[in-house]
Each structure stands twice: as C-alpha cells, then as structure tokens.
Amino acid sequence: MSDAKNTDKKSKADDAAKDTAKNDDQQHQNDKQKDEIKVARTQTDPSLLTRLAQRTAYRRATALGASGTGAAIWTVQRMTALALIPLALWFLVSILSMLHAPATTAAAWLGAPWNAALIGAFVLVALRHGTIGFRVILEDYVHSEGWRVASIALVYAIAALSALATVVGLAVLIFTHIGG
Amino acid sequence: MTARSTTRPLSPHLQHYRPEITSILSVLHRATGIVLGLGAVGLAWWITALALGGSAQSVTHWLLTSWLGYLALFGWTFALGFHLCNGVRHLFWDAGMGFEMDSVRRSGKAAVGGALLLTVIVWIVVIV
Ligand code: HEM
C-alpha cells in the first residue's frame, strides 16, 4: 500500500466521520429546536393553560361546549346508524303490513319474543341515535345557553320515558302472549 | 358565566345560497331525522297502547287507520327510506369515500331513488 493511497483512505474516512458529525450536529440542532418549541409552547403563558383547564372542567361539568364528549357521541351516532340499517329494513317489511290486521293480531305479533326483541332493539337504538341527532341540531340553532340546556334535557327526558314505556310495554305483551 | 362574543362572524344563512341537489339532500337528511325522531316516540306510544289495551288501544288504532294516520305513516315511510339511504351515503363519507363532486351527485340521486323504491314497495305490500 502506498502512502498516497493511505492518506487518501484516511482523508475519506475523515470526511465520513465529519459527515456523521455534521449529521449528528444537525440532528442535535433539530432536537434543540424542537425542545425550544416545546419549551416555548409550555412557557408562553402559564395562566392561559390554567384558564383552558378551568374552562374544560367547567364545560365537562355543564356538558356545554367542547366538553370532550363530542367525539364519543359522534362515534355512538355512527355505530347506532350502522345497527339501524338492518333493523329499519326488517321493520319496514314486517310491521307496516300489520296495519290491516285488527289490533289484537298486532298485540299477539308483538308478544312473540323474537318480534318483541327486534322491535325493542329498533326503538331503543333509534331513540339513542335520534337523541344525539336532536342534541346536535339544538346545539346548532339554540344560541341562548339556558334554552339550549333546557331543550336538550327535555329531549333526553322524552327519549328516556319512551324507552321505559317500550321495554315495559313489550314485557307486558310477551307475558300476555306466553300466558295465553 | 362564560361570556360569549356576539360579534363573531357567522356564515350566511341557508337562503343566501342557490339550492343544489347536495344542499337540498343535506337539509332533507336533517328534516327526515326530526320526523323519524317524532315517529320513534309514536312507536313507543303504539307499543304502550297495545300493552294497555282497552280504549288506549282502540283510539290509537282508529287514529293510525284514519286518512291522517295513513298520510303520516306514508310520510314516515319515505322519511325512513330516505334517511336510511342517505345515511349510508354519510357513512361512506365518514369512511373517507365518495367525495368527488360527480360521485356525490350520483350517490345523492341514488339515495332519492332508493327512498322512492323502498316507499313504493312497502306501500304495495301494505295495500295489497
Ligand atoms: C328511526 C330511526 C332514525 C332516527 C330517529 C334518526 C334520527 C336522526 C337525527 C335526528 C339525526 C340528526 C340530523 C342532523 O344532524 O342533521 C340523524 C343523523 C344521522 N343519521 Fe339518523 N335516524 C334514524 C335512522 C338512521 C338510519 C337507519 C341510518 C342509517 C345509515 C341513519 C344515519 C344517520 C347518520 C349517518 C347521521 C349523521 C348525519 C350527519 O353527519 O349530519 N339514521 N339521524
């Protein structure tokens, strides 16, 4: 091996080392910048963070505004929508043909456990889905906070009452059906 | 408690825009959602009335089979048909699919067609 070649190699290795060093340096620089940004973000105004936290807590407590439940409710609305597709189709084909029948036939039909279960599921899921829908609509249009809370509460109350009546009513119909 | 600014800019309200199939169907989804919600409460009442029997049952049955009852049920069927089909459209959007304008218009027409088809089929079954 000649000296020339050796130095050549050496300088190349040096270069490479320098390159990695440069990269490391760059990386370090980047990290530092990121850190600085993080620090800058958290240190801008501590009182702002406190106020944000307080506001979030307040909104959670009052269930108004961005309380942190919006995303969950969004998901429930979609899940219930998916469940309602088969339930609604079943409902459409089966129940409306009941119109001709005398009321006693309808009662007997509803008392059959499978029918009762399916229609119960349809009504309860529809009430849950619809309640979220009404809430979203009221949040869109009712600008006064008091009326918004009151109207949403009313919707929830009506839905809860309807759900209770449905479950009790179906239970009664099943009992009468099975009891003969 | 929370002071809200009342001078925030608002987007122009609905009547300032030229109606298009997209916006009409969007409004219709909301309207049918409301109709269905009222219907769900009615359905709960129907079940309750059947369980109660007696005059609650007979009055409800009389109401439902009056011409007004039939009209309401017909409207409700269409509302369910449309909201169902358009709801499927919404779910595709939520999954990130079907956003191109002509695909949006096509699926909108399909939703209306599907709703009409469902309504007609159901009522043929009811009447026959
Ligand atoms: C009796 C049954 C149903 C009731 C009472 C009901 C009620 C509602 C209501 C009140 C809304 C709010 C509308 C709005 O925010 O503009 C809504 C939205 C929605 N519904 Fe239904 N619905 C029912 C069935 C269905 C079915 C079968 C589907 C099937 C896919 C569905 C899918 C949706 C979707 C995806 C939304 C959200 C739309 C948006 O993002 O604006 N719904 N529903």
Side-chain angles (χ1 to χ4, degrees):
Chain A
M1 253 181 226
S2 72
D3 270 339
K5 255 189 183 165
N6 235 340
T7 38
D8 204 38
K9 248 191 188 168
K10 199 165 175 257
S11 78
K12 260 188 190 158
D14 269 3
D15 277 355
K18 256 190 229 154
D19 267 4
T20 26
K22 234 197 243 161
N23 280 344
D24 279 356
D25 217 41
Q26 189 69 39
Q27 194 61 41
H28 187 66
Q29 201 79 21
N30 283 347
D31 283 346
K32 224 171 114 191
Q33 249 173 17
K34 262 189 224 150
D35 276 343
E36 266 162 16
I37 290 171
K38 253 190 236 157
V39 170
R41 281 215 182 111
T42 44
Q43 286 191 344
T44 327
D45 180 3
S47 77
L48 175 70
L49 281 180
T50 320
R51 271 185 286 143
L52 278 175
Q54 281 173 346
R55 195 172 69 186
T56 306
Y58 171 73
R59 287 181 172 173
R60 286 227 170 94
T62 55
L64 288 170
S67 60
T69 59
I73 272 189
W74 189 91
T75 308
V76 175
Q77 197 177 23
R78 267 76 202 163
M79 290 300 142
T80 48
L82 272 176
L84 279 170
I85 298 173
L87 286 171
L89 286 174
W90 168 82
F91 179 80
L92 277 179
V93 294
S94 56
I95 203 86
L96 283 174
S97 45
M98 206 68 50
L99 274 179
H100 279 317
T104 43
T105 319
W109 187 86
L110 269 184
W114 264 113
N115 295 336
L118 280 172
I119 200 146
F122 176 64
V123 178
L124 294 188
V125 177
L127 284 171
R128 184 75 194 95
H129 173 91
T131 309
I132 298 171
F134 271 77
R135 175 178 167 171
V136 172
I137 294 173
L138 291 168
E139 282 169 351
D140 275 355
Y141 299 133
V142 185
H143 298 303
S144 130
E145 207 159 293
W147 283 112
R148 190 165 57 241
V149 179
S151 55
I152 292 173
L154 184 68
V155 165
Y156 274 67
I158 293 174
L161 204 67
S162 305
L164 185 69
T166 301
V167 172
V168 174
L170 285 175
V172 169
L173 287 168
I174 291 174
F175 268 113
T176 359
H177 183 73
I178 292 173
Chain B
M1 185 161 167
T2 43
R4 273 167 215 272
S5 157
T6 49
T7 53
R8 283 179 307 174
L10 292 170
S11 51
H13 204 56
L14 228 47
Q15 60 268 30
H16 295 283
Y17 297 97
R18 182 164 53 88
E20 292 206 46
I21 178 159
T22 45
S23 60
I24 295 170
L25 297 193
S26 168
V27 171
L28 201 58
H29 191 79
R30 181 157 277 196
T32 52
I34 294 172
V35 170
L36 290 175
L38 300 178
V41 176
L43 201 53
W45 169 253
W46 181 65
I47 293 167
T48 313
L50 284 177
L52 286 172
S55 62
Q57 186 181 56
S58 50
V59 168
T60 305
H61 191 74
W62 170 79
L63 211 73
L64 279 177
T65 48
S66 69
W67 68 266
L68 201 67
Y70 268 87
L71 195 67
L73 286 171
F74 187 81
W76 198 79
T77 320
F78 176 77
L80 185 56
F82 176 75
H83 194 90
L84 180 92
C85 296
N86 202 53
V88 172
R89 215 168 147 235
H90 265 283
L91 293 175
F92 272 103
W93 289 332
D94 292 340
M97 289 184 265
F99 279 123
E100 300 75 25
M101 268 331 283
D102 60 298
S103 134
V104 168
R105 294 206 180 90
R106 245 184 302 129
S107 62
K109 282 176 194 152
V112 175
L116 289 173
L117 197 69
L118 271 176
T119 312
V120 168
I121 290 174
V122 166
W123 281 83
I124 286 176
V125 172
V126 169
I127 289 166
V128 175

